[in-house]
Structure formats: structure tokens, C-alpha cells
Short mmCIF file of all heavy atoms in Angstrom, two decimals:
data_model
loop_
_atom_site.label_atom_id
_atom_site.label_comp_id
_atom_site.label_asym_id
_atom_site.label_seq_id
_atom_site.Cartn_x
_atom_site.Cartn_y
_atom_site.Cartn_z
N ASP H 1 -5.55 2.53 10.99
CA ASP H 1 -4.28 2.99 11.54
C ASP H 1 -3.12 2.30 10.85
O ASP H 1 -3.13 1.18 10.49
CB ASP H 1 -4.23 2.66 13.07
CG ASP H 1 -5.19 3.45 13.87
OD1 ASP H 1 -5.54 4.59 13.39
OD2 ASP H 1 -5.63 3.04 14.93
N LEU H 2 -2.06 3.11 10.76
CA LEU H 2 -0.73 2.60 10.23
C LEU H 2 0.22 2.69 11.40
O LEU H 2 0.49 3.72 11.83
CB LEU H 2 -0.32 3.39 9.01
CG LEU H 2 -1.22 3.39 7.78
CD1 LEU H 2 -0.62 4.33 6.74
CD2 LEU H 2 -1.33 1.99 7.27
N ARG H 3 0.66 1.53 11.78
CA ARG H 3 1.60 1.49 12.99
C ARG H 3 3.10 1.34 12.54
O ARG H 3 3.35 0.53 11.73
CB ARG H 3 1.21 0.32 13.85
CG ARG H 3 -0.22 0.37 14.35
CD ARG H 3 -0.55 -0.74 15.30
NE ARG H 3 -1.93 -0.76 15.72
CZ ARG H 3 -2.55 -1.59 16.44
NH1 ARG H 3 -1.75 -2.58 17.02
NH2 ARG H 3 -3.78 -1.57 16.79
N PRO H 4 3.93 2.24 13.01
CA PRO H 4 5.32 2.21 12.59
C PRO H 4 6.02 1.01 13.22
O PRO H 4 5.78 0.62 14.38
CB PRO H 4 5.90 3.46 13.11
CG PRO H 4 5.04 3.87 14.24
CD PRO H 4 3.67 3.33 13.94
N GLY H 5 6.99 0.41 12.49
CA GLY H 5 7.77 -0.62 13.01
C GLY H 5 8.89 -1.06 12.08
O GLY H 5 8.73 -1.31 10.94
N ASN H 6 10.11 -1.13 12.58
CA ASN H 6 11.31 -1.64 11.93
C ASN H 6 11.54 -0.87 10.58
O ASN H 6 11.84 -1.48 9.59
CB ASN H 6 11.08 -3.17 11.50
CG ASN H 6 11.04 -4.05 12.78
OD1 ASN H 6 11.63 -3.71 13.76
ND2 ASN H 6 10.21 -5.03 12.71
N GLY H 7 11.29 0.42 10.69
CA GLY H 7 11.68 1.23 9.50
C GLY H 7 10.55 1.38 8.44
O GLY H 7 10.78 2.08 7.43
N TYR H 8 9.42 0.75 8.63
CA TYR H 8 8.35 0.91 7.72
C TYR H 8 7.04 0.69 8.45
O TYR H 8 7.01 0.31 9.57
CB TYR H 8 8.47 -0.06 6.51
CG TYR H 8 8.68 -1.49 6.92
CD1 TYR H 8 7.62 -2.40 7.35
CD2 TYR H 8 9.93 -2.00 6.82
CE1 TYR H 8 7.89 -3.60 7.69
CE2 TYR H 8 10.20 -3.36 7.18
CZ TYR H 8 9.12 -4.16 7.56
OH TYR H 8 9.34 -5.49 7.91
N TYR H 9 5.99 1.09 7.82
CA TYR H 9 4.68 0.91 8.37
C TYR H 9 4.16 -0.54 8.25
O TYR H 9 4.26 -1.13 7.19
CB TYR H 9 3.63 1.97 7.82
CG TYR H 9 3.89 3.34 8.28
CD1 TYR H 9 4.54 4.20 7.43
CD2 TYR H 9 3.40 3.75 9.53
CE1 TYR H 9 4.68 5.56 7.78
CE2 TYR H 9 3.73 5.03 9.95
CZ TYR H 9 4.39 5.95 9.00
OH TYR H 9 4.61 7.18 9.47
N VAL H 10 3.58 -1.09 9.30
CA VAL H 10 3.21 -2.49 9.27
C VAL H 10 1.69 -2.42 8.97
O VAL H 10 0.88 -1.78 9.58
CB VAL H 10 3.41 -3.10 10.57
CG1 VAL H 10 2.92 -4.57 10.63
CG2 VAL H 10 4.88 -3.09 11.02
N ARG H 11 1.31 -3.31 8.02
CA ARG H 11 -0.01 -3.50 7.55
C ARG H 11 -0.71 -4.32 8.64
O ARG H 11 -0.31 -5.44 8.95
CB ARG H 11 -0.16 -4.11 6.19
CG ARG H 11 -1.47 -4.50 5.64
CD ARG H 11 -1.39 -5.05 4.25
NE ARG H 11 -2.59 -5.52 3.72
CZ ARG H 11 -2.93 -6.78 3.54
NH1 ARG H 11 -2.04 -7.69 3.84
NH2 ARG H 11 -4.06 -7.17 3.08
N MET H 12 -1.84 -3.84 9.06
CA MET H 12 -2.68 -4.62 10.07
C MET H 12 -3.52 -5.51 9.34
O MET H 12 -3.69 -5.47 8.13
CB MET H 12 -3.46 -3.60 10.91
CG MET H 12 -2.60 -2.54 11.64
SD MET H 12 -1.38 -3.36 12.61
CE MET H 12 -2.37 -4.16 13.88
N PRO H 13 -4.11 -6.56 10.00
CA PRO H 13 -5.01 -7.56 9.37
C PRO H 13 -6.09 -6.85 8.54
O PRO H 13 -6.73 -5.92 8.96
CB PRO H 13 -5.61 -8.33 10.49
CG PRO H 13 -4.58 -8.21 11.65
CD PRO H 13 -4.01 -6.86 11.44
N SER H 14 -6.35 -7.41 7.35
CA SER H 14 -7.26 -6.74 6.41
C SER H 14 -7.86 -7.69 5.46
O SER H 14 -7.14 -8.74 5.19
CB SER H 14 -6.47 -5.54 5.57
OG SER H 14 -7.30 -5.11 4.60
N THR H 15 -8.94 -7.50 4.99
CA THR H 15 -9.59 -8.45 4.04
C THR H 15 -9.35 -7.92 2.57
O THR H 15 -9.72 -8.57 1.59
CB THR H 15 -11.09 -8.58 4.22
OG1 THR H 15 -11.72 -7.22 4.11
CG2 THR H 15 -11.39 -9.05 5.63
N ARG H 16 -8.72 -6.79 2.41
CA ARG H 16 -8.43 -6.26 1.08
C ARG H 16 -7.23 -7.04 0.40
O ARG H 16 -6.31 -7.41 1.08
CB ARG H 16 -8.11 -4.80 1.14
CG ARG H 16 -9.27 -3.91 1.61
CD ARG H 16 -8.77 -2.55 2.03
NE ARG H 16 -8.18 -1.75 0.96
CZ ARG H 16 -8.75 -0.77 0.33
NH1 ARG H 16 -9.94 -0.36 0.68
NH2 ARG H 16 -8.18 -0.02 -0.60
N PRO H 17 -7.32 -7.21 -0.92
CA PRO H 17 -6.13 -7.88 -1.61
C PRO H 17 -4.97 -6.95 -1.52
O PRO H 17 -5.10 -5.74 -1.34
CB PRO H 17 -6.63 -8.04 -3.04
CG PRO H 17 -7.76 -7.06 -3.19
CD PRO H 17 -8.42 -6.97 -1.83
N LEU H 18 -3.78 -7.54 -1.63
CA LEU H 18 -2.53 -6.81 -1.40
C LEU H 18 -1.80 -6.70 -2.75
O LEU H 18 -1.61 -7.70 -3.45
CB LEU H 18 -1.64 -7.48 -0.32
CG LEU H 18 -0.40 -6.86 -0.01
CD1 LEU H 18 -0.59 -5.52 0.68
CD2 LEU H 18 0.42 -7.78 0.95
N ALA H 19 -1.28 -5.43 -2.99
CA ALA H 19 -0.48 -5.23 -4.22
C ALA H 19 0.91 -4.64 -3.78
O ALA H 19 0.88 -3.76 -2.90
CB ALA H 19 -1.18 -4.27 -5.23
N ALA H 20 2.00 -5.11 -4.30
CA ALA H 20 3.33 -4.59 -3.98
C ALA H 20 3.80 -3.87 -5.21
O ALA H 20 3.77 -4.44 -6.37
CB ALA H 20 4.28 -5.71 -3.68
N ILE H 21 4.39 -2.69 -5.10
CA ILE H 21 4.83 -1.83 -6.19
C ILE H 21 6.20 -1.31 -5.86
O ILE H 21 6.46 -0.67 -4.85
CB ILE H 21 3.80 -0.63 -6.36
CG1 ILE H 21 2.47 -1.11 -6.59
CG2 ILE H 21 4.32 0.24 -7.55
CD1 ILE H 21 1.37 -0.05 -6.51
N THR H 22 7.15 -1.58 -6.82
CA THR H 22 8.47 -0.94 -6.69
C THR H 22 8.51 0.45 -7.48
O THR H 22 7.80 0.57 -8.46
CB THR H 22 9.54 -1.85 -7.15
OG1 THR H 22 9.46 -2.06 -8.57
CG2 THR H 22 9.47 -3.32 -6.50
N GLY H 23 9.40 1.25 -7.01
CA GLY H 23 9.41 2.59 -7.68
C GLY H 23 8.13 3.33 -7.51
O GLY H 23 7.63 3.99 -8.39
N ALA H 24 7.50 3.19 -6.34
CA ALA H 24 6.19 3.71 -6.08
C ALA H 24 6.16 5.18 -5.70
O ALA H 24 5.09 5.70 -5.50
CB ALA H 24 5.56 2.87 -4.97
N SER H 25 7.29 5.87 -5.58
CA SER H 25 7.29 7.17 -5.14
C SER H 25 6.87 8.24 -6.12
O SER H 25 6.58 9.34 -5.67
CB SER H 25 8.61 7.58 -4.49
OG SER H 25 9.69 7.43 -5.50
N ALA H 26 6.95 7.90 -7.38
CA ALA H 26 6.51 8.92 -8.42
C ALA H 26 6.20 8.23 -9.69
O ALA H 26 6.32 7.00 -9.79
CB ALA H 26 7.72 9.82 -8.58
N GLY H 27 5.65 9.06 -10.61
CA GLY H 27 5.46 8.58 -11.98
C GLY H 27 4.48 7.37 -12.10
O GLY H 27 3.46 7.30 -11.43
N ILE H 28 4.88 6.42 -12.91
CA ILE H 28 3.95 5.30 -13.19
C ILE H 28 3.68 4.51 -11.94
O ILE H 28 2.62 4.05 -11.72
CB ILE H 28 4.63 4.37 -14.30
CG1 ILE H 28 4.56 5.16 -15.70
CG2 ILE H 28 3.89 3.07 -14.40
CD1 ILE H 28 5.31 4.45 -16.75
N GLY H 29 4.78 4.31 -11.10
CA GLY H 29 4.53 3.60 -9.84
C GLY H 29 3.54 4.22 -8.95
O GLY H 29 2.68 3.53 -8.33
N ALA H 30 3.52 5.51 -8.79
CA ALA H 30 2.59 6.20 -7.91
C ALA H 30 1.18 6.10 -8.51
O ALA H 30 0.21 5.97 -7.72
CB ALA H 30 3.02 7.74 -7.70
N VAL H 31 1.10 6.18 -9.82
CA VAL H 31 -0.27 6.05 -10.42
C VAL H 31 -0.82 4.58 -10.23
O VAL H 31 -1.98 4.44 -9.97
CB VAL H 31 -0.22 6.37 -11.91
CG1 VAL H 31 -1.51 6.13 -12.61
CG2 VAL H 31 0.13 7.91 -12.05
N PHE H 32 0.10 3.64 -10.38
CA PHE H 32 -0.36 2.25 -10.08
C PHE H 32 -0.89 2.21 -8.62
O PHE H 32 -1.89 1.57 -8.34
CB PHE H 32 0.77 1.32 -10.29
CG PHE H 32 0.87 0.55 -11.61
CD1 PHE H 32 1.87 0.76 -12.44
CD2 PHE H 32 -0.25 -0.33 -11.90
CE1 PHE H 32 1.86 0.11 -13.67
CE2 PHE H 32 -0.13 -1.03 -13.12
CZ PHE H 32 0.92 -0.80 -14.04
N ALA H 33 -0.21 2.73 -7.74
CA ALA H 33 -0.63 2.68 -6.30
C ALA H 33 -2.00 3.35 -6.13
O ALA H 33 -2.79 2.78 -5.47
CB ALA H 33 0.38 3.45 -5.45
N ARG H 34 -2.15 4.54 -6.69
CA ARG H 34 -3.50 5.21 -6.56
C ARG H 34 -4.61 4.43 -7.19
O ARG H 34 -5.69 4.30 -6.56
CB ARG H 34 -3.40 6.61 -7.19
CG ARG H 34 -2.43 7.57 -6.41
CD ARG H 34 -2.50 9.06 -7.00
NE ARG H 34 -1.57 9.87 -6.21
CZ ARG H 34 -0.40 10.26 -6.51
NH1 ARG H 34 0.09 9.86 -7.77
NH2 ARG H 34 0.30 11.06 -5.87
N LYS H 35 -4.36 3.88 -8.38
CA LYS H 35 -5.45 3.16 -9.08
C LYS H 35 -5.73 1.80 -8.37
O LYS H 35 -6.92 1.36 -8.36
CB LYS H 35 -5.08 3.01 -10.52
CG LYS H 35 -5.26 4.35 -11.31
CD LYS H 35 -4.97 4.25 -12.73
CE LYS H 35 -5.15 5.49 -13.52
NZ LYS H 35 -6.51 5.88 -13.55
N LEU H 36 -4.73 1.17 -7.86
CA LEU H 36 -4.94 -0.15 -7.20
C LEU H 36 -5.63 0.09 -5.89
O LEU H 36 -6.52 -0.63 -5.39
CB LEU H 36 -3.66 -0.84 -6.98
CG LEU H 36 -3.08 -1.56 -8.25
CD1 LEU H 36 -1.68 -1.96 -8.11
CD2 LEU H 36 -3.93 -2.76 -8.64
N ALA H 37 -5.31 1.18 -5.18
CA ALA H 37 -6.05 1.51 -3.90
C ALA H 37 -7.44 1.81 -4.19
O ALA H 37 -8.39 1.41 -3.48
CB ALA H 37 -5.36 2.73 -3.27
N ALA H 38 -7.74 2.58 -5.30
CA ALA H 38 -9.13 2.89 -5.69
C ALA H 38 -9.94 1.56 -6.05
O ALA H 38 -11.10 1.47 -5.93
CB ALA H 38 -9.13 3.83 -6.84
N ARG H 39 -9.17 0.59 -6.45
CA ARG H 39 -9.80 -0.69 -6.83
C ARG H 39 -9.92 -1.65 -5.56
O ARG H 39 -10.44 -2.79 -5.79
CB ARG H 39 -8.96 -1.51 -7.87
CG ARG H 39 -9.08 -0.82 -9.24
CD ARG H 39 -8.08 -1.49 -10.20
NE ARG H 39 -8.42 -1.10 -11.64
CZ ARG H 39 -8.53 -1.95 -12.65
NH1 ARG H 39 -8.38 -3.22 -12.43
NH2 ARG H 39 -8.78 -1.52 -13.87
N GLY H 40 -9.57 -1.14 -4.42
CA GLY H 40 -9.79 -1.88 -3.24
C GLY H 40 -8.64 -2.64 -2.66
O GLY H 40 -8.76 -3.61 -1.79
#
């Protein structure tokens, strides 16, 4: 579940590593997001 809060979705406790990406809405940033999600 993704729970809304304070203008963005709050990440719930997770054992997966965390990656932060700026300019993530399109192009290279969106591809980084997809490939990092696929990597866990």
C-alpha cells in the first residue's frame, strides 16, 4: 500500500534498498526508476 501524506506518498517500512531519483517523471530519470525497481 502507498499511503498519502503531506503532499506525497509515504513509504512504509520495507527491507528493500532505497533509491532517490530527481527528474524522475520522464526520460532517463524514469528509466532509472524502472530499472532500479526491477533490481529490488
